[in-house]
């Protein structure tokens, strides 16, 4: 938390653009907002943990000996504190603007409210998923519905569906193309992707929260760099969401990192994903946000054959646990060969020859069976580097996430300047 403090002080004292005349330091809430929200999440987690267990909201930690019971869906706490922080922030912030500006900025005000509405919806739907264990098809429908308020505001306030064509292709297609309704389709799909991609890169202590925090930090750094440019208003919008998110999430990370004393559940994955989608869409930098999702994009593409049942997919794909050595091992999908689709068999062959999956065939009761390692980034790391401790796997995955963010900045700045 202390590491983030200088950043928030910097944001509160932004006077780079003379248009911002509001000195938020005068306000006791703004002055202590981070400390209040961080401490509130911490206190609520400690005091509400027994209530979650009493309400049967718990999961088994499958990577510890004896599979201890851990309270589940506790992302609802950091999510609720985040929403409350924003509910207090918005009236104070806009009231102060009202004091200094003659024309009230209705458009940004509506964007704030619509963004919060979508995040709020996803928090509720994620909690419903944790309680009811919804089927996979609902996991695709729910974020689409929750993104509708966002898309409506985009249509009313912005309605720009132009995309800039990279320089090498401009002779063929021109400098810009208006893709109309497809742009809205893209934004809806972005919301579905952001929510689900965090949820499927999970299954080891601290991974859901760790990756979300790193993505949030990358977005914040990008916002601070871009705040000096002409689109500073979009980045101020993003910063207002991302700072409270970083503080509330850091508090929950303390409890979720190895060895976890709480699980954050789908509640956390969904509302975090929607928050990133809101920032990407209304902040107009969705391509850059997607660059920060490189490990999630890889994990999603690698998972497609199992997600779309081209290759049979077990209910859980997290690594297996070797109790004796306290290490994580590959987990597998086992099925009859006739269950494998034609496309699935080709994909499996390619992935096997590339060394991405382990595959064996055996015969039982005159039937040929296939056993292949699950197609996730976690399992791939274990396949390439061998069995390892849960904490080590988390550190490696966090290094991959940070490395990808670094690559994203290289693509976004030196490389993009060549193409755009
Ligand atoms: C997604 C993944 C699933 C993975 C699961 C684990 C897909 C399609 N789905 O399913 O493969 O197994 O997440 O998060 O890829 N758990 C631990 N340790 C942890 C975190 C979770 O043991 O650090 C276990 C607990 O038993 C917990 C359960 O995973 O109760 C949570 O699973 P859930 O979030 O319900 O799974 P899905 O999101 O549906
Ligand atoms: Mg989950």
């Amino acid at each position: 938390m202390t590491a983030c403090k200088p950043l928030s002080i910097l944001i509160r004292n932004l006077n780079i653009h003379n248009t911002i005349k509001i000195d938020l330091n005068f306000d006791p809430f703004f002055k202590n907002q981070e400390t209040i929200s961080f401490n509130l999440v911490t206190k609520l987690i400690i005091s509400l943990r027994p209530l979650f267990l009493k309400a049967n909201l718990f999961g088994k930690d499958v990577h510890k000996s004896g599979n201890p019971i851990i309270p589940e869906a506790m992302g609802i706490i950091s999510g609720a504190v985040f929403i409350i922080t924003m509910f207090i922030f918005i009236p104070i912030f806009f009231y102060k603007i009202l004091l200094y500006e003659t024309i009230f900025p209705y458009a940004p005000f509506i964007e704030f409210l619509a963004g919060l509405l979508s995040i709020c919806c996803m928090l509720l739907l994620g909690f419903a998923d944790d309680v009811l264990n919804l089927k996979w098809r609902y996991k695709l429908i729910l974020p689409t519905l929750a993104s509708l308020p966002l898309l409506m505001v985009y249509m009313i306030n912005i309605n720009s569906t132009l995309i800039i064509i990279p320089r090498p292709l401009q002779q063929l297609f021109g400098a810009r193309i208006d893709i109309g309704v497809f742009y809205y389709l893209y934004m809806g799909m972005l919301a579905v992707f952001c929510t689900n991609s965090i949820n499927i890169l999970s299954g080891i202590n601290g991974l859901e929260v760790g990756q979300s925090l790193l993505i949030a930090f990358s977005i914040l750094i990008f916002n601070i760099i871009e705040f000096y440019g002409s689109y500073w208003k979009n980045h101020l919008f993003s910063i207002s969401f991302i700072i409270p998110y970083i503080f509330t999430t850091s508090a929950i990370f303390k409890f979720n990192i190895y060895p976890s004393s709480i699980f954050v559940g789908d509640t956390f994955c969904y509302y975090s994903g929607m928050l990133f989608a809101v920032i990407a869409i209304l902040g107009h930098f969705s391509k850059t946000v997607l660059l920060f999702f490189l490990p999630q994009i890889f994990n999603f593409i690698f998972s497609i054959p199992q997600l779309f049942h081209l290759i049979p997919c077990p209910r859980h794909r997290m690594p297996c646990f070797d109790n004796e050595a306290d290490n994580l091992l590959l987990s597998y999908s086992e099925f009859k060969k006739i269950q494998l689709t034609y496309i699935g068999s080709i994909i499996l062959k390619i992935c096997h020859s590339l060394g991405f999956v382990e595959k064996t065939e055996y015969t039982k009761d005159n039937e040929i069976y296939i056993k292949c390692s699950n197609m996730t980034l976690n399992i791939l790391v274990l396949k390439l580097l061998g069995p390892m401790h849960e904490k080590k796997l988390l550190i490696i995955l966090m290094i991959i996430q940070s490395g990808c963010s670094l690559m994203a900045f290289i693509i976004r700045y030196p490389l993009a300047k060549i193409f755009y």
Side-chain angles (χ1 to χ4, degrees):
M1 190 187 62
T2 24
C4 302
K5 199 84 189 165
L7 280 180
S8 60
I9 291 168
L10 171 85
I11 302 308
R12 277 205 303 266
N13 291 303
L14 286 170
N15 278 320
I16 310 148
H17 300 279
N18 288 332
T19 9
I20 302 184
K21 296 178 191 128
I22 316 146
D23 181 5
L24 299 177
N25 273 321
F26 286 126
D27 198 291
F29 175 73
F30 279 106
K31 219 168 176 184
N32 302 305
Q33 173 201 341
E34 301 82 17
T35 329
I36 295 171
S37 51
F38 183 91
N39 290 341
L40 189 60
V41 174
T42 309
K43 285 210 170 91
L44 285 175
I45 289 174
I46 294 168
S47 58
L48 295 182
R49 238 179 338 199
L51 292 185
F52 275 68
L53 292 173
K54 220 167 148 187
N56 284 338
L57 279 171
F58 57 79
K60 285 184 178 165
D61 194 340
V62 298
H63 301 133
K64 309 284 177 304
S65 98
N67 294 353
I69 278 172
I70 310 278
E72 178 95 63
M74 295 212 79
I76 190 81
I77 295 178
S78 68
V81 174
F82 167 77
I83 302 252
I84 293 167
T85 312
M86 294 303 291
F87 280 168
I88 300 173
F89 167 80
I90 292 173
I92 297 176
F93 185 68
F94 281 94
Y95 174 69
K96 298 223 164 188
I97 289 187
L98 204 62
L99 290 181
Y100 293 98
E101 304 284 326
T102 40
I103 303 164
F104 185 75
Y106 283 103
F109 183 62
I110 293 169
E111 286 179 12
F112 264 94
L113 294 184
L116 261 191
L117 181 62
S118 290
I119 296 168
C120 229
C121 279
M122 229 38 235
L123 187 69
L124 175 74
L125 298 173
F127 194 63
D129 188 12
D130 276 327
V131 175
L132 305 172
N133 252 324
L134 298 175
K135 293 219 162 80
W136 261 95
R137 55 174 169 273
Y138 298 114
K139 301 192 185 212
L140 300 182
I141 298 168
L142 297 182
T144 315
L145 293 176
S147 66
L148 288 181
L150 205 64
L151 300 190
M152 253 174 62
V153 167
Y154 188 87
M155 195 167 87
I156 293 161
N157 274 6
I158 303 152
N159 200 20
S160 162
T161 50
L162 288 172
I163 55 165
I164 301 165
I165 304 296
R167 253 178 231 159
L169 300 174
Q170 280 184 2
Q171 284 215 320
L172 283 176
F173 301 102
R176 282 150 189 257
I177 302 184
D178 189 351
I179 58 168
V181 73
F182 290 105
Y183 199 82
Y184 286 91
L185 208 65
Y186 158 73
M187 289 188 289
M189 281 163 64
L190 184 77
V192 176
F193 170 76
C194 289
T195 48
N196 283 295
S197 65
I198 296 175
N199 187 33
I200 65 170
L201 185 55
S202 59
I204 64 163
N205 289 182
L207 183 54
E208 289 111 315
V209 187
Q211 61 180 305
S212 307
L213 262 181
L214 288 176
I215 294 172
F217 271 116
S218 310
I219 293 177
L220 182 62
I221 294 169
F222 175 66
N223 290 149
I224 292 172
I225 299 171
E226 288 295 313
F227 199 84
Y228 296 86
S230 34
Y231 297 107
W232 63 272
K233 278 185 185 167
N234 295 341
H235 295 281
L236 182 64
F237 173 84
S238 170
I239 286 168
S240 327
F241 277 85
I242 217 82
I243 292 225
Y245 176 80
I246 286 178
F247 280 92
T248 47
T249 306
S250 306
I252 207 163
F253 190 50
K254 257 190 346 183
F255 296 90
N256 184 242
I257 197 169
Y258 179 92
S260 287
S261 58
I262 59 154
F263 285 152
V264 291
D266 294 350
T267 314
F268 175 84
C269 303
Y270 288 176
Y271 104 80
S272 300
M274 187 50 90
L275 176 119
F276 296 135
V278 164
I279 287 172
I281 293 170
L282 296 179
H284 311 278
F285 53 91
S286 61
K287 278 181 282 173
T288 309
V289 170
L290 279 177
L291 285 178
F292 297 135
F293 269 78
L294 284 177
Q296 289 71 17
I297 293 174
F298 174 84
N299 186 55
F300 179 74
I301 294 172
F302 192 33
S303 295
I304 283 177
Q306 287 196 306
L307 293 182
F308 293 96
H309 296 287
L310 300 170
I311 296 170
C313 181
R315 167 69 185 88
H316 281 289
R317 302 190 298 161
M318 76 259 274
C320 284
F321 179 55
D322 175 357
N323 201 353
E324 305 254 293
D326 193 12
N327 270 343
L328 301 188
L329 310 170
L330 300 189
S331 65
Y332 296 91
S333 172
E334 270 184 274
F335 47 87
K336 288 177 187 165
K337 196 172 182 177
I338 47 163
Q339 285 177 273
L340 192 62
T341 60
Y342 176 66
I343 303 172
S345 68
I346 295 173
I347 294 172
L348 199 56
K349 215 178 254 172
I350 296 171
C351 288
H352 183 235
S353 57
L354 288 173
F356 281 12
V357 289
E358 200 176 284
K359 183 185 131 209
T360 46
E361 279 190 24
Y362 61 93
T363 312
K364 197 170 91 185
D365 303 332
N366 290 328
E367 293 250 36
I368 304 171
Y369 283 80
I370 294 180
K371 182 179 171 186
C372 69
S373 54
N374 282 315
M375 299 165 91
T376 69
L377 181 60
N378 306 353
I379 301 294
L380 180 62
V381 172
L382 289 171
K383 161 97 178 55
L384 298 176
L385 304 179
M388 65 180 82
H389 192 265
E390 187 175 5
K391 199 171 171 184
K392 189 173 169 193
L393 181 58
L394 176 71
I395 293 171
I396 291 177
L397 289 165
M398 293 298 95
I399 292 173
I400 294 175
Q401 185 79 48
S402 315
C404 285
S405 279
L406 195 68
M407 209 161 84
F409 278 109
I410 295 171
I411 296 173
R412 177 61 182 77
Y413 288 108
L415 280 186
K417 283 209 174 93
I418 302 170
F419 289 104
Y420 288 97

